[in-house]
Amino acid sequence: MNLQERDRAVNWHPYTQMKTADDIIPIIKGKGVYLFDDKGNRYIDAVSSWWVTLHGHAHPYIAKRVSEQLNTLEQVIFAGFTHEPAIQLSENLLKILPENQQKVFYSDNGSTAVEVALKMCIQHAYNQGKEKTKILAFKNAYHGDTFGAMSVSGRSVWTKPFGEMLFEVIFIDTPTSENLENLKNQIRHHANEIACFIYEPLIQGAAGMLMYDAEDLDELMKFCRGQEILMIQDEVFTGFGRTGKLFAANHLSENPDIMCFSKGLTGGTMPMGITTCSNEIYNAFLSDEKYMTLFHGHSFTANPLACTAALASMELLLNDETQENIRRIFEQHYNFSKILKQYPHVENVRQTGTILAWEIKNDQETSYFNKIGKKLYDDFLSRGIVMRPLGNVMYLVPPYCISAKELNFIYENILEVLNYD
């Protein structure tokens, strides 16, 4: 049996209808922006393998650091024990976050980082004798696939089978200058019951790279602060340079109470989630009574290997070469976006930092289930480019190590596909 046959016999893949799916592509190697399959084909990873790979595949510096750590300490329970990589990572991360972020809680991935944040907020109220159990979130949100994260995500066919089991959430539109007063009125009506407001800052990724203005989010955050509503900023996707700045928080003047991170945290090397919070949140759990403890943990909390990978990735992120690459990608995207806007069957071209998105007009509505997505995926794959359209929404989220030449190759193929269509 070949790799495809062996995989089909045993594996169930994410977001995949296994009955109708094409044969899976076995990848045997990654290097830089490229993935190599078992037939010798090479693909540019234009979506950073689900938005996680910051510095390219098999980065030698991250591999070296993780290998060294593997020979020192690979795992230790994080209840009652600690270790240098976890302490150093927390110290380094907090230095580059908004100044009110003072404590770090480790978990496994983006969904669990969100679960931790939600539990912090709900128990924060509980520990103070307040009954605040409702959550405020944006329509079309995506915060993960575990039950809490799914509950605060927009209702859709993804969540429909579990609808009766999801907890109550107040959903509002993303803010604009036109709807802000209406949003404030909606929030004011429920403010005494709302434990927290959770949001993806600036970009709703899985919803189709929907983008909105920092100024409007700032105004909404300021209002929530006045209503004593805690704020969870989900930077699982936007964190670590994707928006052109280190974090979406750097585009804002208001600070959240809690922040969530994953995806690019380890440079795409291995799973890890982080939830950071203010001292005000942390202090609400300090008590002589054990029942006020945050009873949450994971077997691999603060895994030393993942912490080491994250430390190495952060070093690479902050160096001058990477920061210059981020600026270059932004400029290349910006220039290419002007070309895209000239095509009659392209609409809603939009960009934030290194993220560029646009929609293909056809006889179907804009949707994850728009059938043109499969055709576009296949077209680009045949050209040696991995793109994963969200239906008719196309986007680029490349690793920061991509060269100008490689990015131009992607642009040229996009235009060829547009001209062909």
Side-chain angles (χ1 to χ4, degrees):
M1 294 174 69
N2 62 28
L3 289 174
Q4 286 180 337
E5 293 166 337
R6 290 167 57 198
D7 181 89
R8 175 72 71 171
V10 295
N11 287 332
W12 189 348
H13 289 265
Y15 288 97
T16 302
Q17 176 44 261
M18 298 300 295
K19 182 176 181 179
T20 59
D22 291 340
D23 286 338
I24 214 79
I25 298 173
I27 296 298
I28 61 171
K29 180 183 176 182
K31 187 169 180 60
V33 298
Y34 293 102
L35 296 167
F36 300 85
D37 71 16
D38 61 339
K39 294 181 173 63
N41 298 311
R42 184 178 78 165
Y43 308 90
I44 293 181
D45 187 354
V47 295
S48 297
S49 286
W50 253 340
W51 322 340
V52 304
T53 304
L54 297 189
H55 313 293
H57 296 279
H59 195 284
Y61 181 64
I62 299 177
K64 177 176 179 291
R65 291 284 302 275
V66 171
S67 177
E68 291 169 351
Q69 182 62 43
L70 187 59
N71 286 295
T72 304
L73 177 66
E74 84 300 342
Q75 168 64 6
V76 63
I77 183 174
F78 207 60
F81 296 89
T82 191
H83 51 82
E84 174 65 26
I87 297 168
Q88 189 67 61
L89 178 56
S90 297
E91 290 172 343
N92 290 6
L93 179 59
L94 292 175
K95 286 176 185 176
I96 58 175
L97 291 180
E99 61 182 6
N100 71 325
Q101 299 298 294
Q102 295 292 322
K103 290 292 187 292
V104 173
F105 194 100
Y106 288 96
S107 64
D108 295 341
N109 56 64
S111 295
T112 56
V114 167
E115 298 282 351
V116 170
L118 294 171
K119 290 175 75 171
M120 283 180 176
C121 290
I122 293 169
Q123 191 173 342
H124 176 271
Y126 177 87
N127 283 357
Q128 297 179 85
K130 299 176 182 178
E131 193 158 336
K132 300 177 78 170
T133 57
K134 291 184 179 178
I135 312 294
L136 182 70
F138 285 141
K139 296 174 183 176
N140 300 312
Y142 175 78
H143 295 288
D145 292 329
T146 51
F147 262 86
M150 190 165 51
S151 292
V152 295
S153 298
R155 300 295 183 259
S156 67
V157 294
W158 295 359
T159 62
K160 191 173 182 179
F162 318 102
E164 296 302 314
M165 305 176 76
L166 304 179
F167 55 69
E168 185 177 359
V169 175
I170 300 165
F171 289 105
I172 59 172
D173 292 322
T174 49
T176 66
S177 56
E178 290 78 21
N179 71 7
L180 265 168
E181 289 308 311
N182 180 262
L183 297 183
K184 290 177 183 178
N185 287 334
Q186 291 180 60
I187 295 168
R188 191 180 289 114
H189 182 70
H190 297 282
N192 291 336
E193 305 170 278
I194 297 174
C196 60
F197 168 37
I198 183 168
Y199 54 93
E200 299 158 275
L202 310 186
I203 307 164
Q204 292 183 299
M209 299 297 169
L210 304 179
M211 301 180 186
Y212 63 101
D213 292 337
E215 294 80 4
D216 296 324
L217 179 57
D218 256 330
E219 181 66 23
L220 195 60
M221 291 173 69
K222 184 177 180 181
F223 178 77
C224 286
R225 178 75 63 207
Q227 298 293 310
E228 297 184 348
I229 296 171
L230 298 176
M231 290 175 283
I232 302 170
Q233 189 152 301
D234 180 352
E235 295 231 23
V236 167
F237 172 37
T238 55
F240 305 102
R242 290 297 184 196
T243 66
K245 298 186 179 183
L246 285 178
F247 303 99
N250 298 117
H251 296 268
L252 301 165
S253 57
E254 295 293 321
N255 292 332
D257 300 282
I258 295 173
M259 299 179 74
C260 302
F261 306 97
S262 188
K263 288 196 181 292
L265 174 58
T266 66
T269 306
M270 55 185 67
M272 175 172 251
I274 277 180
T275 308
T276 63
C277 70
S278 66
N279 274 331
E280 194 272 332
I281 299 290
Y282 176 78
N283 289 340
F285 291 80
L286 300 182
S287 173
D288 293 330
E289 301 291 342
K290 286 191 176 181
Y291 71 83
M292 292 180 72
T293 301
L294 178 62
F295 291 106
H296 191 100
H298 297 264
S299 301
F300 290 96
T301 295
N303 173 260
L305 300 178
C307 288
T308 299
L311 282 164
S313 178
M314 201 179 303
E315 286 181 47
L316 294 170
L317 175 66
L318 296 175
N319 70 33
D320 291 342
E321 181 180 2
T322 303
Q323 291 301 306
E324 179 54 39
N325 283 345
I326 290 172
R327 286 188 288 270
R328 173 181 53 77
I329 293 167
F330 169 81
E331 291 170 3
Q332 284 190 261
H333 278 355
Y334 177 74
N335 292 330
F336 181 61
S337 72
K338 291 188 286 187
I339 299 172
L340 279 176
K341 289 175 182 178
Q342 298 172 15
Y343 281 76
H345 49 298
V346 171
E347 61 184 356
N348 296 333
V349 180
R350 51 202 182 269
Q351 179 188 3
T352 300
T354 66
I355 304 161
L356 177 65
W358 65 97
E359 292 161 28
I360 305 296
K361 288 192 287 187
N362 64 357
D363 58 357
Q364 301 170 48
E365 66 178 0
T366 293
S367 163
Y368 179 83
F369 297 100
N370 190 305
K371 292 181 180 178
I372 199 173
K374 174 64 166 62
K375 180 181 182 300
L376 290 167
Y377 175 80
D378 290 340
D379 280 352
F380 283 102
L381 208 57
S382 71
R383 294 165 178 268
I385 302 169
V386 177
M387 295 182 73
R388 189 177 169 85
L390 297 162
N392 62 315
V393 178
M394 302 290 295
Y395 66 90
L396 292 174
V397 183
Y400 304 145
C401 62
I402 194 168
S403 69
K405 182 179 179 181
E406 290 160 341
L407 201 46
N408 283 331
F409 173 79
I410 296 173
Y411 297 154
E412 289 163 8
N413 277 273
I414 290 169
L415 297 181
E416 286 180 15
V417 169
L418 290 176
N419 285 324
Y420 177 75
D421 289 342

